[in-house]
């Protein structure tokens, strides 16, 4: 634990991945684990882990990278934190991200700009950019991220690591600061596939505190990891390999396809015709849910409060105006509009209907295939500032990951090559609750 903090401190001035370090508590916890000793089954005991700053941690500052929560120290732990402690893993600190997980480059953080671990002039991706950079930069072997539209997979791709967004319901969301509740999932970000599966083992399971968590047994996700892909049927959606995707990125995915064929899998082209509406649907659904979820930040119950207010209305308005950054405000405005009377049917309701069509396309393909693969993101990591003032370009960066959240499916990113010296990710999409097969395909490729 001490050596890990030394490494973090040596690299942090360049990477800027952390918002808060948890040094005192982590060292005390490590000493306790040393004293108690660990058993052979306790495979994760003593392993340092980083926590994205939208996951609530008892007695540890939790900001969601927002000024709104600059002073929020929770009085309870998220369910995933209880599981982290049960596994005797050691939380080293809280990781930078886009404000309230809204963004794809970690540039909307109120606190700092995390850098890509491969090139400090490039974005680390987002919103789990701090998690990805910390793992890729050798600060930590594992970090927790969250993924609403791609926020685990895209930064994993941009930093050349393994990132898993499990099936919706696999991991409890209790204690995750809600962005879009029907899309959000927590998941592990690691250097290897096996590490990822081990951490998923520890985090998964039904939780009575999250009514959307699934009442299913949790398999051992490392089982069959090395069984290979011989006989597997893998689909490649043509819409995910064409327009809007950098041809050099698709070339890396073509190489992965050739590898799978050489290893004995069948790889065939399919169509997911409604996925092209994914980005539009997402920005209505996610912003609508966000506008509702973020109502709790009223300047009264917790978080930032404006000073010298005239009356209660002034308190609400000024606390929210001063506490939220521009991207968060953009989403609240868009979501409030989509839900407002007179526009609800044309926007929110319509988006929910098309969301069902996106899901049905996946159901059809999974009748015949075990997995779907594609690039994770349309480009490698871009330069800091390059897309910051261009929300539409930024939003299109998630076109390959968003449909997976809309359908509630598990999706992961594994490194699959380089373009101009920057890593590119292969996205592997699985059937609901079949993370095991995804890991097997990822491991075979590794
Ligand atoms: N980049 C997407 C957004 O800005 C996805 C974010 C996420 O998955 N949390 O909303």
């Amino acid at each position: 634990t001490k050596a890990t903090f030394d490494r973090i401190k040596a690299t942090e001035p360049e990477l800027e991945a952390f918002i808060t370090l948890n040094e005192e508590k982590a060292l005390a916890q490590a000493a306790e684990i040393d004293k108690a000793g660990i058993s052979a089954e306790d495979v994760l005991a003593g392993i340092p882990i980083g926590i994205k700053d939208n996951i609530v941690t008892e007695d540890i500052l939790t900001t969601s990278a927002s000024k709104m929560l600059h002073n929020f120290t929770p009085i309870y732990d998220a369910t995933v934190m209880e599981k982290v402690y049960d596994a005797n893993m050691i939380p080293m600190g809280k990781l930078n991200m886009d404000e309230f997980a809204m963004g794809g480059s970690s540039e909307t953080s109120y606190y700092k700009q995390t850098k890509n671990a491969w090139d400090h002039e490039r974005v680390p991706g987002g919103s789990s950019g701090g998690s990805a950079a910390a793992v890729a930069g050798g600060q930590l072997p594992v970090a927790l991220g969250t993924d609403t539209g791609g926020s685990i997979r895209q930064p994993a791709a941009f930093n050349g690591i393994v990132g898993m967004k499990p099936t919706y319901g696999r991991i409890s969301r209790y204690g995750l600061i809600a962005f879009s509740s029907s899309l959000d999932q927590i998941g592990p970000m690691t250097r290897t596939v096996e590490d990822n599966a081990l951490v998923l083992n520890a985090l998964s399971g039904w939780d009575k505190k999250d009514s959307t968590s699934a009442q299913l047994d949790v398999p051992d996700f490392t089982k069959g990891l090395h069984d290979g892909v011989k006989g597997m049927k893998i689909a490649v959606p043509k819409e995910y390999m064409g327009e809007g995707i950098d041809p050099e990125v698709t070339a890396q995915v073509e190489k992965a396809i050739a590898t799978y064929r050489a290893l004995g899998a069948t790889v065939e082209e399919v169509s997911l015709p409604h996925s092209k509406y994914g980005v539009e649907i997402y920005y209505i659904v996610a912003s609508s849910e966000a506008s509702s979820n973020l109502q709790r930040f009223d300047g009264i119950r917790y978080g930032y409060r404006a000073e010298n207010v005239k009356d209660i209305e002034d308190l609400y308005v000024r606390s929210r105006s001063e506490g939220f950054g521009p991207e968060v405000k953009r989403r609240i405005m868009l979501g409030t509009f989509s839900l407002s009377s007179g526009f609800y049917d044309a926007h929110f309701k319509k988006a929910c209907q098309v969301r069902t069509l996106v899901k049905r396309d996946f159901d059809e393909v999974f009748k015949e295939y075990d997995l779907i693969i594609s690039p994770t993101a349309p480009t490698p990591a871009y330069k800091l500032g390059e897309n910051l003032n261009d929300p539409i370009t930024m939003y299109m960066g998630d076109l390959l990951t968003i449909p997976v959240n809309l359908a509630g499916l598990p999706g992961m990113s594994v490194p699959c090559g380089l373009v101009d010296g920057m890593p590119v990710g292969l996205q592997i999409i699985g059937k609901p609750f079949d993370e095991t097969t995804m890991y097997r395909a990822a491991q075979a490729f590794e």
Side-chain angles (χ1 to χ4, degrees):
T1 306
K2 274 196 200 118
T4 304
F5 277 117
D6 289 346
R7 166 78 193 167
I8 291 171
K9 284 181 195 157
T11 46
E12 191 54 15
E14 299 243 312
L15 268 186
E16 299 197 79
F18 282 85
I19 294 179
T20 305
L21 282 182
N22 184 39
E23 195 163 0
E24 206 178 304
K25 282 214 210 59
L27 291 172
Q29 189 194 347
E32 254 174 57
I33 295 171
D34 277 346
K35 204 155 62 181
I38 53 175
S39 66
E41 308 86 77
D42 221 0
V43 287
L44 295 172
I47 303 291
I49 184 169
I51 312 294
K52 188 176 177 181
D53 210 18
N54 58 349
I55 295 172
V56 306
T57 43
E58 186 177 346
D59 293 337
I60 307 171
L61 184 70
T62 299
T63 69
S64 218
S66 182
K67 179 180 177 187
M68 184 56 96
L69 290 177
H70 72 107
N71 57 357
F72 176 52
T73 301
I75 54 166
Y76 70 102
D77 268 324
T79 296
V80 288
M81 291 311 299
E82 289 176 358
K83 289 183 179 269
V84 159
Y85 290 119
D86 284 349
N88 281 320
M89 299 188 82
I90 303 181
M92 306 296 280
K94 305 298 294 286
L95 293 158
N96 196 30
M97 52 183 280
D98 283 294
E99 184 179 1
F100 285 105
M102 298 172 186
S105 61
S106 302
E107 290 169 299
T108 72
S109 169
Y110 173 66
Y111 297 96
K112 49 176 63 174
Q113 179 58 59
T114 301
K115 314 299 186 307
N116 189 293
W118 292 57
D119 175 350
H120 295 166
E121 290 181 0
R122 289 177 191 270
V123 300
S127 63
S128 312
S131 304
V135 171
Q139 293 183 324
L140 297 166
V142 41
L144 298 187
T146 67
D147 191 313
T148 305
S151 278
I152 287 176
R153 291 160 286 162
Q154 181 257 34
F158 280 11
N159 288 278
I161 63 164
V162 181
M164 159 66 82
K165 180 201 90 73
T167 314
Y168 186 80
R170 178 61 93 189
I171 294 182
S172 170
R173 290 181 297 108
Y174 179 75
L176 164 61
I177 295 175
F179 165 9
S180 178
S181 312
S182 76
L183 300 165
D184 299 339
Q185 270 292 292
I186 298 169
M189 302 172 77
T190 55
R191 276 178 234 151
T192 71
V193 175
E194 187 168 8
D195 286 356
N196 207 285
L198 286 170
V199 178
L200 190 65
N201 280 348
L203 300 178
S204 297
W206 178 68
D207 178 12
K208 65 173 185 303
K209 294 187 214 142
D210 172 6
S211 61
T212 64
S213 73
Q215 293 211 32
L216 286 175
D217 288 341
V218 178
D220 176 358
F221 295 107
T222 63
K223 222 165 157 213
L225 201 59
H226 298 279
D227 288 357
V229 293
K230 205 165 180 215
M232 257 191 213
K233 291 200 71 185
I234 300 177
V236 184
K238 61 171 190 275
E239 294 84 358
Y240 288 49
M241 293 287 277
E243 211 189 318
I245 322 294
D246 180 344
E248 293 193 63
V249 171
T250 39
Q252 298 307 311
V253 173
E254 293 289 355
K255 277 201 251 157
I257 293 172
T259 305
Y260 278 132
R261 287 197 174 122
L263 294 170
T266 312
V267 186
E268 288 170 349
E269 188 179 280
V270 296
S271 176
L272 294 170
H274 294 93
S275 280
K276 61 171 176 288
Y277 304 117
V279 174
E280 285 89 336
I281 303 167
Y282 172 85
Y283 277 93
I284 294 173
V285 172
S287 304
S288 297
E289 292 184 15
S291 74
S292 166
N293 277 324
L294 269 56
Q295 285 182 54
R296 72 193 64 174
F297 303 109
D298 55 7
I300 293 177
R301 282 173 284 190
Y302 45 85
Y304 177 77
R305 178 180 297 176
E307 278 169 26
N308 305 320
V309 294
K310 286 201 304 281
D311 52 26
I312 186 84
E313 168 106 15
D314 195 38
L315 171 64
Y316 291 150
V317 171
R318 286 202 16 235
S319 298
R320 289 170 67 83
S321 303
E322 293 164 20
F324 290 135
E327 185 60 32
V328 176
K329 287 179 189 158
R330 184 149 47 223
R331 310 278 177 120
I332 292 173
M333 295 300 286
L334 180 60
T336 307
F337 173 77
S338 305
L339 291 175
S340 57
S341 87
F343 298 100
Y344 175 89
D345 284 337
H347 297 285
F348 187 73
K349 192 167 159 206
K350 181 64 92 195
C352 292
Q353 287 165 334
V354 187
R355 179 176 182 178
T356 304
L357 299 179
V358 171
K359 163 107 176 48
R360 280 192 198 152
D361 288 349
F362 281 108
D363 294 344
E364 274 310 304
V365 170
F366 280 130
K367 280 184 189 155
E368 246 193 273
Y369 295 88
D370 303 302
L371 295 171
I372 297 172
I373 59 173
S374 76
T376 303
T379 64
Y382 39 87
K383 289 261 161 66
L384 288 162
E386 195 177 318
N387 293 334
L388 189 57
N389 298 317
D390 182 0
I392 303 290
T393 303
M394 201 73 113
Y395 294 176
M396 290 313 286
D398 295 316
L399 84 165
L400 302 169
T401 45
I402 278 175
V404 179
N405 300 72
L406 293 173
L409 298 169
M412 69 187 289
S413 182
V414 279
C416 86
L418 300 177
V419 169
D420 295 334
M422 292 304 291
V424 166
L426 174 74
Q427 177 172 232
I428 307 177
I429 305 167
K431 293 181 185 172
F433 299 103
D434 190 16
E435 288 88 355
T436 310
T437 305
M438 303 165 66
Y439 279 134
R440 176 139 60 96
Q443 180 68 52
F445 176 74
E446 213 175 46

